[in-house]
Amino acid sequence: MKQRATLIALFVAFNLFTPVLFVTQAVENTSLNGGTSADNTGAVSYHVYNAAAGNSGVVNNVYVPVPVMDTVPPSAPVLSLASSTADSASLAWSEATGNVAVTEYQLYKGADLVTSVTYGVLNHTVTGLLPGTPYSFTVKAKDAAGNVSVASNEITVNSLAASLSLDATISMGNFSSYHTLATKKDGTVWAWGNNEKGTLGDEAIQNRSLPKQVAGLTSVSSVSAGQNHSLALLQDGTVWAWGGNEAGQLGDGTTEKKPVPTKISSLSNIVAIEAGEQHSLALKNDGTVWAWGNNAFGQLGDGTTKKQLSPLQVANLSSVTSISAGAFHNVAIKSDGSVWAWGFNAFGQLGDGTKVNKLMPQNITGLSGIAAVSRGQYHVLALKNDGTVWAWGYNGEGELGDGTTTDRLFPVLLTGLESIAQIASGSVHSMALKSDGTLWAWGNNKFGQLGDGTRVSKLLPTKVGGDRQFESISAGYLNSSAISREGKYFTWGYNGHGQLGNGTIDDTTTPAEISLVLHPEPDTAK
């Protein structure tokens, strides 16, 4: 029997996006080619009808996978730091998820793309970093549809100092502290002054008016002197502590004093340390801050006033590049140049316009582009990237340098100071080092701590030190110290416990050179 070609009117019924149907006529069969219709699921069901049958009978159900039209980005990964060296950082991140498959991860250093890795790779080591330099990293996820997630949390990595880049440093505690610490370029630590609670680290418990090397410490990159305790940071990122421990400021889980350096076992990968009056701070290479010791005014930043005998992480603070510890308050700088403060605030030293203590870090509004901060006992200095200096807090002795003795609850600009490279806040005086190596000081001068040869206090910055050029400075409790560009150590001011290291207990009103060398025994300063 002769077969006849029949044109059959067909269409596809679909309840999402209507497809387009193409009909190919054949002798016995009819081929149907439909345009695709898709939702976010990645597959659709087509119902095919025969119009000749009254549009009531479904000829077939066809399930067809189709290209995904998804526009929802995948979730953001969580980034963390695994480890770092002087020139590298090993980063890891969590797996991202999305409506469609994640195909790659994109790692950024600041705004620059470092690398793209395929899905399944959850770590990468960035090389070529500069020693002792902070870097910020984020990671994003990308899916098969081309959608890119928002950036992950930002991780600030402070690359460790190179093994051959040790600098000479000096630290004078500024909260009724009567001892001094210093490091030499060979990585050794030297101490002198009051030793009542073992702050000099030599077990002798007797004051010294001449520097003496602290035994058992090598490859030390920095030191910090508290009221009656001492901290040292080694190049390997470990922290060692000794001296008084009544508030747990040594971080060893006890309140027993230690006359010799003791390693804080719970700390690693540390890049900066700060000793407060009876509390301590440490900055990790992942940008987190850790605190321990006295917490009567919330200076540990954990939301309580309970002392802690071991390091705990400061709450709500990340991407930190610099820290500074006051008597009972602290200041930190984030990688974006913002400044955060917490703890005691009776004189406005938190810079938030109030005199209310803060148990957790608060942003100081109005400050940006900050490169360094330095805490006094109850005041703070901040150095901007443009070389200007800002100050706030207690000003009863003129230590803010604004020409008055009025406390400031908000940061004020110090006029007349420019091209500043370093700042240092003492108990009731302040210092600034210009880029040309000249030294400027202001505030209380009762013991000659300003170094201008007088005992007259100054409400405005005054040049001191003659024609000497200095490399670094430290302001202490009624005394001061500096290291010259030639590597020589100078001290001046109050010396009642031998903390100037000049072999006497006599005050000095101008910078006087001291020597960090082995001295014959005995050496005692009453």
Side-chain angles (χ1 to χ4, degrees):
M1 181 175 180
K2 185 177 179 181
Q3 292 180 326
R4 184 177 59 178
T6 302
L7 179 62
I8 303 174
L10 299 164
F11 63 91
V12 173
F14 193 67
N15 62 354
L16 292 173
F17 302 102
T18 304
V20 178
L21 180 64
F22 299 91
V23 180
T24 301
Q25 184 175 344
V27 174
E28 294 181 333
N29 303 299
T30 300
S31 298
L32 305 177
N33 296 302
T36 60
S37 176
D39 62 3
N40 285 335
T41 64
V44 298
S45 174
Y46 294 95
H47 301 307
V48 183
Y49 295 85
N50 184 345
N55 193 26
S56 60
V58 177
V59 175
N60 196 7
N61 290 325
V62 182
Y63 293 89
V64 182
V66 298
V68 174
M69 306 295 289
D70 183 72
T71 59
V72 179
S75 62
V78 177
L79 185 62
S80 61
L81 176 67
S83 63
S84 68
T85 66
D87 62 358
S88 69
S90 296
L91 300 156
W93 53 88
S94 64
E95 186 174 306
T97 59
N99 288 341
V100 294
V102 173
T103 57
E104 69 178 58
Y105 294 100
Q106 303 169 345
L107 182 63
Y108 289 84
K109 181 177 66 178
D112 299 325
L113 179 65
V114 175
T115 188
S116 294
V117 297
T118 57
Y119 179 75
V121 178
L122 298 175
N123 57 77
H124 182 77
T125 298
V126 182
T127 59
L129 304 181
L130 296 176
T133 304
Y135 294 91
S136 295
F137 294 95
T138 56
V139 67
K140 299 178 181 179
K142 183 178 181 180
D143 65 21
N147 302 307
V148 179
S149 73
V150 297
S152 69
N153 57 301
E154 182 181 76
I155 289 292
T156 298
V157 178
N158 292 273
S159 55
L160 300 177
S163 58
L164 298 178
S165 64
L166 284 173
D167 293 324
T169 65
I170 193 164
S171 175
M172 285 182 156
N174 63 18
F175 342 97
S176 301
S177 176
Y178 301 110
H179 73 290
T180 304
L181 302 174
T183 65
K184 296 176 73 170
K185 288 189 175 182
D186 61 6
T188 58
V189 177
W190 298 69
W192 60 95
N194 183 275
N195 197 24
E196 181 182 353
K197 294 190 177 181
T199 50
L200 304 187
D202 63 357
E203 292 190 281
I205 315 299
Q206 65 181 16
N207 297 350
R208 297 188 177 278
S209 62
L210 291 170
K212 182 180 180 181
Q213 184 177 345
V214 179
L217 288 177
T218 58
S219 300
V220 176
S221 59
S222 66
V223 287
S224 186
Q227 183 186 55
N228 56 29
H229 74 291
S230 304
L231 300 177
L233 173 63
L234 273 60
Q235 277 194 302
D236 62 7
T238 60
V239 178
W240 296 67
W242 63 98
N245 197 26
E246 56 270 34
Q249 60 264 45
L250 301 187
D252 67 345
T254 77
T255 55
E256 299 174 2
K257 69 179 181 181
K258 303 292 187 298
V260 295
T262 303
K263 181 181 177 180
I264 302 178
S265 59
S266 61
L267 287 178
S268 60
N269 297 318
I270 302 301
V271 296
I273 52 172
E274 278 284 306
E277 181 167 293
Q278 289 186 338
H279 75 285
S280 305
L281 295 182
L283 173 62
K284 276 197 173 185
N285 60 359
D286 62 1
T288 59
V289 179
W290 298 72
W292 61 98
N294 185 15
N295 196 24
F297 301 97
Q299 58 263 50
L300 301 189
D302 66 345
T304 77
T305 55
K306 180 182 178 182
K307 71 180 180 183
Q308 298 292 335
L309 307 185
S310 299
L312 55 80
Q313 186 175 345
V314 176
N316 303 328
L317 200 60
S318 60
S319 300
V320 173
T321 59
S322 180
I323 54 175
S324 190
F328 311 111
H329 72 288
N330 304 296
V331 189
I333 305 174
K334 284 193 174 186
S335 57
D336 61 4
S338 62
V339 180
W340 298 69
W342 64 100
F344 188 55
N345 197 28
F347 300 98
Q349 59 264 47
L350 301 189
D352 65 350
T354 77
K355 293 187 177 182
V356 179
N357 300 342
K358 301 297 187 299
L359 304 186
M360 291 192 291
Q362 308 288 322
N363 179 223
I364 300 179
T365 58
L367 278 181
S368 61
I370 301 301
V373 287
S374 179
R375 78 296 178 260
Q377 188 162 8
Y378 303 124
H379 75 287
V380 180
L381 299 181
L383 173 62
K384 269 197 168 188
N385 290 322
D386 62 7
T388 59
V389 178
W390 297 68
W392 62 95
Y394 181 68
N395 196 29
E397 304 291 337
E399 54 265 69
L400 299 189
D402 66 350
T404 77
T405 55
T406 302
D407 297 349
R408 302 295 181 181
L409 305 186
F410 292 105
V412 294
L413 173 66
L414 273 63
T415 59
L417 275 183
E418 57 185 18
S419 301
I420 300 301
Q422 191 178 128
I423 50 177
S425 300
S427 179
V428 285
H429 74 292
S430 303
M431 299 195 299
L433 182 65
K434 283 195 173 185
S435 57
D436 63 4
T438 58
L439 180 60
W440 298 70
W442 59 97
N444 184 284
N445 197 27
K446 182 178 180 180
F447 295 92
Q449 61 262 46
L450 299 189
D452 66 347
T454 77
R455 295 176 183 265
V456 179
S457 299
K458 304 293 190 300
L459 301 183
L460 293 170
T462 302
K463 183 181 177 182
V464 300
D467 295 328
R468 291 190 186 92
Q469 292 182 320
F470 294 100
E471 184 69 25
S472 64
I473 55 177
S474 177
Y477 180 69
L478 308 177
N479 46 32
S480 305
S481 59
I483 301 175
S484 71
R485 288 184 172 178
E486 297 78 27
K488 297 179 179 180
Y489 297 77
F490 292 82
T491 59
W492 60 98
Y494 179 63
N495 195 31
H497 298 261
Q499 60 265 52
L500 296 189
N502 60 12
T504 77
I505 55 172
D506 299 325
D507 301 344
T508 302
T509 60
T510 57
E513 184 180 352
I514 63 170
S515 298
L516 271 62
V517 297
L518 296 177
H519 296 282
E521 299 285 350
D523 166 34
T524 60
K526 300 301 182 183

